[in-house]
């Protein structure tokens, strides 16, 4: 049953050190505001799960909060590498992190299986691929009908799923629209969830088959206008592509990264997100 | 650009675009593949279906997206599905005619590495990883690869098998149970390559205008095979160049975004 | 690549005697017009696949065109039994039919697996259920991670999928909205498909995440206004509940059934469907 | 109806509605379960979540649907998902608190048959089959059953295990790996039954007003167990009856539909 909470309270009551946390959003609707609140609260020893780790995991990893990362593509989309993740993997700075690496197909299937209450996902995948040899969580099953050997991966069942959505109604029903990614699956697969939204409305005005999370599937809802920045929220504001490009320079240097995080995350508050999307608004 | 009125990069993109047809359903990677697919759509293949792994089906962006999931892709798509559905129904379902991949490292049998340089557990360079590529390589009916040639990229032995091309060549794909054709075309900044029908070794079949065999060998880490009848890639037409350059200009303007400085600005 | 055809030509060119044909539509959008055309053309020895066989299979079975039925609920929804199906199963009239019976969950998963190009579907199901003992196509696999035994059924891959949709655009892209059932999966799982629609429009005006079948996934599109009657088409016309109730009496008697079929199906044409929904229209 | 102002059928529906709460997420079968769930929603449980297997989540129909997938269910739903998603994410995902089933045959351990009377391969009566029931019975957190009592329906041995209740009783569910509670409540036109905590045999815990133990035994094909402290079900309140009757009246009007005779009319 969804509770409406301040972001600070949602994070402190729902995410604990040592939890496995899926922050999802496939390019669209990435929950940056929650990640920054996790950093402010210094919640550590996290197992973070995310198909496309992106800037938020560069930041969480760079701040030393991550013990393990389950992922399928650790890049800055359209820009290049994630320099803080690289530094952790290549040089153990600021700490070493454990990697569990999959393909996109496997991660998507594993979330789907988690949402479906199954212990595993079955797919035709990893054929001839090297990840099979380095990830013991890639196994296989044999189809009892065709004899075909298919790949199997364990379902993802995070302690917490964190997503940013467009809006919620006053009961706590949540609407996601546009590139919906794996967010519905992540929330349904997780034990608990935090959903930040652009706004609360009287009526979702959703299409009959829209991607809606009923209020009783969500743990906490927090209004954070601009909470996906520099990602975007369809119909609200566009992707801040320059921010992604510029991040490459911030993340390239340990000192610059640390001072940037100090100024823009640790010493900042949740309200800054609404300012960050000024000038990026799109017409609804 | 001296005598020629186009860059090798433009030649690569345009040559790749020519390989695509109206009936193709392309799974589009970001970067060079995205440019090539959209040039095809804006020139000879207006009805081509472009699919990005973020879930957008039949998309027709005005400008090239920076990421695989820019809003523009959804705004112009026929429909947008969830990512699990994209990988289950559309890719694994065998509905993709052409999977378009790039690579950090490529070997002579079109196996691809985008995972690590060096040892997986103690890498010299940790690359982004495979993303959709392992299954794009096995589930698409055919795979086209596009990348710039360099000794660093065209290597004798890749450090990690991110996605399987033709393995050790010959019928290696079939032997491990893969039913699709795999890489059938490689388009670089210098040439067009195709796998030998028997050995599956990548073979240069067409040199781009002004490129020599020596230019090719100088950028490749193995002894290159050339087709007996080596062709010359037709230079970009004025129309092709205009479409590509207009697209890039629209992209530059679109990505410029907002100019105001604000709190939390990274630049 | 979708072709726009007359229903008669679509049926004769796409469905052959002996084919496996999935007519889908879960209460909503049941493709009655196509079933009637199949009956008029006398296409027989069919393996018909449908979660809820409903009136159309009562009619196809009663006319002796069906060799085998793969199904999960053979009832007249909200009314009672399917009397022609009963007569075939209990008395082999007009012929015996083979049954492959599943649960809804298994059928839905099997279509999903078919659409996903997999040879099998894996689910937690049939626990303690008698169908396991009478249907050899219900097997199991063991999860290599949890050790749990899960049910496995073969994917459905019909020769032909037949559905009724709301509308198509001029390129042949098809929109389904409301109770979407398993129609998208059935079409994607099948080798060929026939889609009847209420109308052809310039623009589907679909929501970004609407259930749309791209034109290149469909074999033939036929405009048949009212083609789902007595089922319904969301936003076009309502369900003809009285027709379902009255069917019970028609189907109760072999002679009455046959003369009804002769008059209303065999001697009728596709155009009658638009007349049948007169007075049932809803405001769009 | 003599001295009592309600029918046994009304008592059954209202008793069933009382067992449902605001926080319940019900997987609703057609017929008596549908009426009970909607009476609950229209009386003491306005926030109850009703789910029909056609994919409609959080639906609130004005009139009762005739089928599991009437348009009214979609029109009034929070959202409508595909049928595969319904069975995977919502039922198998463990999100249903109460699965509401009817039955053609029921045994003392709440095992259900809706498949065949007689032998499966040569049935005396071919019934519709299980539909969603096999997995509703195993994946819902609890199962409520509602049906009218009769010797034909309440049998010593069911002809087919359409869905598993408590098997042979005791811990049979757990022994075959089912983790949910199974049938915890049976509401009939005569009484309320609950499984014995140990043996899991259905036991009458409450008689509806005016019903005797003999009435119960006369309609059941096994020797019925009664609870030591046998209660009387409170009679329907005026409000409950009004809500139910208004709902039935709206349903009657809604299903009447069109009056004009047309070609192809079956009646």
């Amino acid at each position: 049953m969804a509770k409406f909470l301040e972001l600070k309270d949602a994070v402190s009551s729902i995410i604990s050190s040592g939890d496995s946390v899926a922050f999802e959003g496939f390019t669209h609707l990435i929950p940056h505001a929650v990640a920054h609140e996790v950093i402010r609260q210094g919640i550590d020893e996290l197992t973070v799960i995310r198909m496309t780790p992106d800037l938020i995991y560069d930041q969480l990893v760079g701040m030393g909060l991550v013990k393990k990362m389950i992922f399928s593509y650790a890049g800055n989309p359209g820009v290049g590498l994630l320099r803080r993740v690289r530094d952790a993997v290549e040089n153990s700075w600021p700490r070493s992190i454990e990697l569990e690496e999959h393909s996109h197909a496997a991660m998507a299937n594993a979330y789907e299986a988690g949402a479906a209450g199954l212990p595993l996902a079955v797919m035709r995948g990893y054929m001839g691929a090297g990840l099979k040899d380095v990830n013991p969580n890639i196994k296989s099953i044999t189809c009892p009908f065709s004899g075909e050997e298919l790949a199997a991966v364990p379902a993802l069942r995070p302690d917490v799923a964190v997503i940013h959505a467009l809006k919620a109604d006053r009961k706590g029903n949540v609407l996601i629209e546009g590139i919906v990614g794996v967010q519905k699956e992540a929330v349904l697969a997780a034990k608990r969830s935090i959903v930040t939204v652009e706004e609360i409305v009287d009526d979702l005005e959703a299409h009959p088959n829209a991607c809606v999370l009923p209020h009783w599937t969500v743990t906490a809802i927090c209004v954070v206008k601009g909470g996906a920045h520099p990602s975007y929220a369809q119909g609200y504001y566009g992707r801040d592509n320059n921010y992604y490009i510029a991040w490459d320079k911030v993340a390239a240097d340990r000192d610059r990264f640390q001072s940037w995080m100090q100024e823009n995350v640790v010493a900042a508050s949740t309200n800054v997100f609404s300012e960050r999307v000024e000038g990026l608004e799109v017409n609804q | 650009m001296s005598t020629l009125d186009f860059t090798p990069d433009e030649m690569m993109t345009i040559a790749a675009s020519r390989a695509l047809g109206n009936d193709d359903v392309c799974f589009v990677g970001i970067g060079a593949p995205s440019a090539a697919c959209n040039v095809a759509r804006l020139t000879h293949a207006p009805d081509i279906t472009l699919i990005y792994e973020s879930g957008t089906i039949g998309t027709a962006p005005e400008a090239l997206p920076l990421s695989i999931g820019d809003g523009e892709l959804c705004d112009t798509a026929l429909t947008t599905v969830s990512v699990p559905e994209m990988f289950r129904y559309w890719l694994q379902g065998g509905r993709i005619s052409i999977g378009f991949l790039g690579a950090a490292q490529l070997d002579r049998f079109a196996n691809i590495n985008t995972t690590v340089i060096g040892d997986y557990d103690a890498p010299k360079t940790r690359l982004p990883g495979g993303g959709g590529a392992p299954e794009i390589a096995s589930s698409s009916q055919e795979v086209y690869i596009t990348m710039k040639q360099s000794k660093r990229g065209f290597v004798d032995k890749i450090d990690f098998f991110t996605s399987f091309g033709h393995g050790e060549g010959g019928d290696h794909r079939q032997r491990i149970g893969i039913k699709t054709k795999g890489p059938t075309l490689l388009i670089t900044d210098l040439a067009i390559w195709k796998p030998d029908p028997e050995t599956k070794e990548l073979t240069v079949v067409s040199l781009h205008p002004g490129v020599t065999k020596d230019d090719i060998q100088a950028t490749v880490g193995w002894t290159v095979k050339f087709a007996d009848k080596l062709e010359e890639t037709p230079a970009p037409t004025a129309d092709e160049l205009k479409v590509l350059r207009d697209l890039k200009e629209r992209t530059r303007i679109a990505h410029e975004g907002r100019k105001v400085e604000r709190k939390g600005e990274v630049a």
Side-chain angles (χ1 to χ4, degrees), chain A residues 24-26 28-30 162-168 173-188 194-197 204 206-207 209-214 217-218 232-234 236, chain B residues 74 80 82:
Chain A
E24 276 299 348
F26 201 90
H28 182 210
L29 293 172
I30 300 173
V162 173
I163 68 166
H164 187 74
L166 298 184
K167 51 190 172 181
N173 301 302
V174 169
L175 177 68
I176 308 171
E177 223 167 72
I179 291 178
V180 294
V182 292
Q183 286 98 299
K184 179 174 176 174
E185 286 74 14
V187 169
L188 295 181
I194 299 176
V195 180
T196 53
V197 295
L204 291 178
H207 172 271
N209 306 118
C211 180
V212 173
L213 285 163
T217 62
V218 169
Y232 68 104
Q234 192 88 18
Y236 289 87
Chain B
C74 177
T80 298
S82 75

Side-chain angles (χ1 to χ4, degrees), chain A:
Chain A
M1 210 56 64
K3 277 185 203 158
F4 292 94
L5 296 177
E6 291 296 312
L7 179 58
K8 207 163 79 170
D9 301 328
V11 168
S12 65
S13 63
I14 292 174
I15 309 181
S16 303
S17 288
D19 276 351
S20 62
V21 186
F23 294 80
E24 276 299 348
F26 201 90
T27 314
H28 182 210
L29 293 172
I30 300 173
H32 279 266
V34 184
H36 287 189
E37 185 58 33
V38 167
I39 291 168
R40 273 193 291 278
Q41 295 191 17
I43 303 172
D44 61 0
E45 293 296 319
L46 297 172
T47 292
V48 290
I49 310 171
R50 184 166 156 69
M51 292 182 66
T52 54
D54 205 271
L55 271 52
I56 56 174
Y57 282 15
D58 223 21
Q59 295 173 353
L60 286 161
V61 168
M63 295 299 279
L65 303 175
V66 174
K67 184 178 69 177
K68 179 178 176 180
M69 191 167 89
I70 302 177
F71 73 106
S72 45
Y73 184 88
N76 180 344
V79 178
L81 306 174
L82 291 178
R83 298 182 184 281
R84 293 297 92 225
V85 168
R86 273 191 65 181
D87 208 6
V89 174
E90 295 169 15
N91 310 309
S92 300
W93 191 93
R95 58 169 290 176
S96 64
I97 58 170
E98 190 186 336
L99 299 185
E100 179 176 336
E101 185 169 1
H102 285 281
S103 67
H104 276 352
M107 289 282 285
N109 274 288
Y111 274 123
E112 203 273 348
L118 290 176
L120 87 166
V122 172
M123 57 182 262
R124 186 180 294 110
Y126 287 126
M127 297 176 91
L131 282 178
K132 273 198 300 199
D133 303 324
V134 296
N135 181 347
N137 262 343
I138 302 169
K139 299 193 174 183
S140 68
I141 64 136
T142 303
C143 171
F145 304 101
S146 64
E148 183 179 354
E149 187 177 308
L150 295 158
V153 292
L156 286 168
R157 305 299 300 259
D159 292 319
V160 186
V162 173
I163 68 166
H164 187 74
L166 298 184
K167 51 190 172 181
D169 66 20
R170 293 184 199 286
K171 281 197 170 173
N173 301 302
V174 169
L175 177 68
I176 308 171
E177 223 167 72
I179 291 178
V180 294
V182 292
Q183 286 98 299
K184 179 174 176 174
E185 286 74 14
V187 169
L188 295 181
K191 300 188 186 78
R192 306 182 295 280
S193 56
I194 299 176
V195 180
T196 53
V197 295
E198 290 296 321
E199 58 176 336
I200 306 286
V201 296
D202 289 327
D203 184 340
L204 291 178
E205 291 174 7
H207 172 271
N209 306 118
C211 180
V212 173
L213 285 163
H215 61 91
W216 43 275
T217 62
V218 169
T219 313
I221 295 173
C222 317
V223 181
V224 184
K225 199 175 160 221
H229 179 270
S231 172
Y232 68 104
Q234 192 88 18
Y236 289 87
Y237 47 91
R239 192 169 189 269
D240 196 348
N241 282 326
N242 285 329
Y243 191 103
Y244 280 91
I245 293 167
W247 175 258
D248 201 48
K249 291 193 199 78
V250 173
D253 179 81
R254 291 177 184 172
D255 290 340
R256 184 161 173 204
F257 166 75
Q258 286 186 313
S259 63
W260 189 93
M261 290 300 290
Q262 187 57 40
E263 185 185 342
N264 293 290
V265 179
V266 178
S269 76
T270 299
N271 323 349
V272 300
F273 281 89
S274 65
E275 296 165 29
R276 285 176 187 165
V277 297
E278 278 169 22
L280 291 166
E281 297 87 349
V282 295
N283 297 327
Q284 266 185 285

